[in-house]
């Protein structure tokens, strides 16, 4: 079974806490602070591996967590950094941030790597907080929290040329006729439920041909298996649109062509820019060569070449493949020239992975009123400072208090009715507010 979509939760490692330590050696009176810094937390890295062909393993394990950094130690010893967690995925995997829907990475080649969650920074040891006024700082900085996010992984087929068309028009038969592939072939809709691949060898050129499962009306909205199939068309450089002109299915060839064209355009306008050649298939089943005159006129107006073929008897298949190879060479040349010129047609929204400290809401402090009348505070930066606070040290408590004032939190609380004697709660710690203090 080939699994081409998975959703997992990843979490990078927390940074190690800085150490509170003072130098204690014989004959060294009044040793100063020597607490070392904490180690960096491990990153979560995705790695494209050509030996993998499915996302099956990710279906069974849903949460992945990188190693945290070790805490700092005395004698200015730094904590060890946490090991990165490497998640291997098949070549062709696309990473999407589930919360925002933004694309994170497109791992299209073997060895492509992407850091999807950055490990937290290690906290500073107390040796970093010594100054001319504070000679013996009795506190250190906590390590930054790791990042947690839900990632959707989609596996998109990597092929040079794709066969598209309605169900049961002969795409699998055509793939079998010109490659060594042995797809399942039967006379009913959705015989093919996952793209099949084959290599076309023309002697002077080879390319990968994909049989994309049949599309139906409404595919762009997910009808049938529309989204599962359409995503595989995106990577192909050239499309061969296969149409049944035998009349055996009772479908007008022009209507059939327009239906698939409409669904591809609705799914992604970029698909309409791909070079296409039309294969008028099953001409052997109609004595007069089959219908399709209206479709041929339609294609001629749009500059699309059409070939009358029979995949079953291989009539016209060689000419069709030669044309596909010519179009592929042109498409690859245009792609290289576009890359050199710096053009970029990808209209997807891409996500930039940053550290927690770089998040737009990192400094935001959220205020809520509890049932007992206390003001409850929460926020990423606030939590880090809170975790760094030594509640037995006045200097450390003073730093927390200064943060609440300079960040504007106290002003906001006063606007909401904060008065002397009121309780301010941060996590499980409570303090009473007095303006004079």
């Amino acid at each position: 079974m080939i699994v081409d979509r998975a959703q997992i939760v990843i979490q990078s490692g927390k940074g190690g806490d800085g150490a509170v330590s003072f130098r204690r050696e014989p004959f060294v009176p009044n040793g100063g602070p020597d607490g070392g810094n904490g180690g960096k937390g491990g990153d979560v890295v995705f790695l494209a591996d050509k030996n993998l062909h499915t996302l099956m393993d990710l279906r069974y394990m849903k949460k992945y967590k990188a190693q945290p950094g070790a805490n700092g130690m005395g004698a200015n010893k730094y904590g060890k950094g946490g090991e990165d967690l490497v998640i291997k995925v098949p070549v062709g995997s696309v990473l999407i941030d589930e919360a925002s829907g933004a694309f994170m990475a497109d791992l299209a080649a073997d060895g492509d790597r992407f850091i999807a969650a950055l490990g937290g920074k290690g906290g500073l040891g107390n040796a970093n907080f010594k100054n001319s006024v504070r000679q013996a700082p009795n506190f250190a900085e906590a390590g930054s929290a790791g990042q947690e996010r839900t990632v959707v992984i989609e596996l998109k087929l990597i092929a040079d040329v794709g066969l598209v068309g309605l169900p049961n028009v002969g795409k699998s038969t055509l793939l079998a006729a010109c490659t060594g592939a042995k797809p399942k072939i039967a006379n009913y809709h959705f015989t093919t439920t996952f793209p099949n691949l084959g290599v076309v060898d023309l002697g002077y050129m080879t390319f990968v041909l994909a049989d994309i499962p049949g599309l139906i009306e409404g595919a762009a909205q997910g009808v049938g298996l529309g989204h599962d199939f359409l995503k595989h068309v995106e990577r192909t450089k050239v499309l061969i649109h296969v149409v049944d002109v035998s009349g055996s299915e009772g479908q007008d060839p022009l209507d059939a062509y327009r239906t698939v064209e409409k669904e591809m355009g609705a799914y992604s306008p970029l698909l309409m820019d791909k070079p296409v050649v039309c294969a008028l298939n099953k001409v052997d089943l109609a004595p007069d060569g089959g219908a399709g005159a209206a479709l041929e006129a339609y294609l001629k107006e749009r500059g699309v070449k059409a070939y009358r073929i029979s995949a079953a008897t291989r009539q016209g298949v060689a000419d069709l493949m030669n044309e596909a190879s010519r179009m592929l060479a042109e498409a690859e040349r245009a792609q290289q020239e576009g890359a050199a010129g710096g053009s970029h047609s990808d209209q997807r929204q891409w996500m930039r992975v940053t550290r927690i400290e770089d998040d737009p809401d990192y400094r935001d402090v959220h205020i809520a009123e509890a049932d007992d009348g206390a003001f409850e505070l929460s926020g990423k930066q606030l939590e880090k400072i809170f975790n760094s606070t030594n509640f037995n040290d006045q200097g450390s408590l003073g730093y927390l208090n200064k943060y609440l004032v300079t960040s504007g939190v106290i002003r906001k609380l006063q606007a909401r009715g904060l008065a002397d004697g009121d309780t301010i709660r941060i996590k499980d710690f409570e303090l009473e507010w007095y303006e004079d203090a």
Side-chain angles (χ1 to χ4, degrees), residues 217-377:
E217 190 165 1
Q221 286 73 46
V223 177
L225 299 174
H227 283 170
D228 292 339
F229 296 167
L230 278 164
K231 67 186 178 187
H232 294 293
V233 183
E234 290 183 293
R235 289 194 186 277
T236 57
K237 300 181 182 73
V238 174
L239 298 178
I240 298 177
H241 193 149
V242 184
V243 181
D244 180 356
V245 296
S246 70
S248 59
E249 294 293 315
Q251 175 77 54
D252 178 71
L254 179 56
D255 289 343
Y257 187 92
R258 283 175 167 171
T259 295
V260 174
E261 190 177 47
K262 172 187 171 186
E263 296 307 325
M264 290 196 302
Y267 179 78
S268 171
L270 295 177
L271 297 184
M272 303 305 295
D273 294 333
K274 292 184 180 294
V276 61
V277 59
C278 186
L280 308 178
N281 193 25
K282 301 187 182 182
V283 296
D284 58 310
L285 298 182
D288 59 354
L295 173 57
E296 286 181 293
Y298 177 83
L299 296 172
K300 188 174 181 180
E301 290 178 5
R302 286 156 179 75
V304 177
K305 287 188 176 182
Y307 287 80
R308 286 183 170 267
I309 71 164
S310 168
T313 66
R314 304 197 180 190
Q315 175 188 339
V317 170
D319 290 339
L320 175 65
M321 291 300 116
N322 283 324
E323 175 62 17
S325 69
R326 184 194 65 79
M327 296 171 67
L328 175 61
E330 284 188 359
E332 290 178 337
R333 186 162 51 249
Q335 188 178 55
Q336 291 173 357
E337 291 173 355
S343 63
H344 194 269
S345 59
D346 194 340
Q347 298 174 357
R348 293 177 291 186
Q349 176 193 353
W350 289 88
M351 174 183 179
R352 178 173 169 263
V353 177
T354 59
R355 296 193 182 279
I356 251 180
E357 290 85 351
D358 298 323
D359 290 348
D361 61 346
Y362 175 69
R363 292 176 174 77
D364 293 347
V365 177
H366 307 285
I367 303 171
E369 294 186 35
D371 294 337
D372 59 1
F375 292 97
E376 295 183 338
L377 307 182

Side-chain angles (χ1 to χ4, degrees), residues 181-199:
K182 297 180 180 179
K184 183 179 179 182
I185 300 172
N187 189 29
Y188 55 84
H189 287 358
F190 299 118
T191 307
T192 305
T193 56
F194 190 85
N196 291 304
L197 292 176
V199 177

